Amino acid sequence: MTGRPPTTTLWRPTGPVELDLVRELDWRAWPPRLPEQPIFYPVLDEDYAIRIARDWNVKHDGSGFVTRFEVESDFLSRYPVQQAGGRTILELWVPAEELDEFNAHIVGTIEVVHEFR
């Protein structure tokens, strides 16, 4: 009997431009990184994602969004958790050149769970 592989919930704070690109990809993948973005970093804590979307994206882009999505847990084990500050400021650092493979391990769709303007 085969079932859905175990998944891990991740969040990604994003601005309107990146969100439009995710929409164009049918909510199933993250767009390629720009040359000045060598790392894609989803976060492991919803509150941390909210703070970035609300306090940084709104200030710089006029709006901020928090997305939630599931990724196969076994696949994520290749990326050690990075503590980027306090104990809840946890990220995964996915090299830009691995983003297509990362996207292939997303289970379901990427959904917007918070919006700030």
Side-chain angles (χ1 to χ4, degrees):
M1 199 167 131
T2 61
R4 178 178 150 172
T7 62
T8 299
T9 302
L10 298 174
W11 289 268
R12 169 98 175 141
T14 186
V17 173
E18 184 175 52
L19 191 66
D20 285 344
L21 295 171
V22 170
R23 184 179 294 112
E24 289 175 12
L25 295 167
D26 295 323
W27 303 100
R28 297 197 174 277
W30 293 98
R33 302 290 81 200
L34 299 173
E36 66 272 13
Q37 299 171 319
I39 295 174
F40 172 76
Y41 62 95
V43 303
L44 282 77
D45 182 80
E46 184 177 15
D47 289 333
Y48 175 41
I50 288 170
R51 285 191 310 238
I52 295 170
R54 182 190 62 216
D55 301 342
W56 194 90
N57 289 110
V58 171
K59 180 179 177 181
H60 290 86
D61 300 324
S63 59
F65 306 89
V66 175
T67 60
R68 179 177 60 209
F69 58 104
E70 301 286 325
V71 180
E72 294 174 9
S73 298
D74 285 347
F75 174 77
L76 289 180
S77 67
R78 69 172 62 188
Y79 303 108
V81 174
Q82 305 292 327
Q83 188 169 0
R87 63 184 169 85
T88 62
I89 301 178
L90 305 174
E91 306 170 341
L92 298 179
W93 293 354
V94 179
E97 62 271 11
E98 295 179 22
L99 190 54
D100 285 343
E101 186 177 9
F102 179 91
N103 284 333
H105 292 274
I106 292 175
V107 176
T109 58
I110 298 165
E111 60 181 321
V112 175
V113 292
H114 300 286
E115 179 177 333
F116 303 96
R117 300 205 178 263

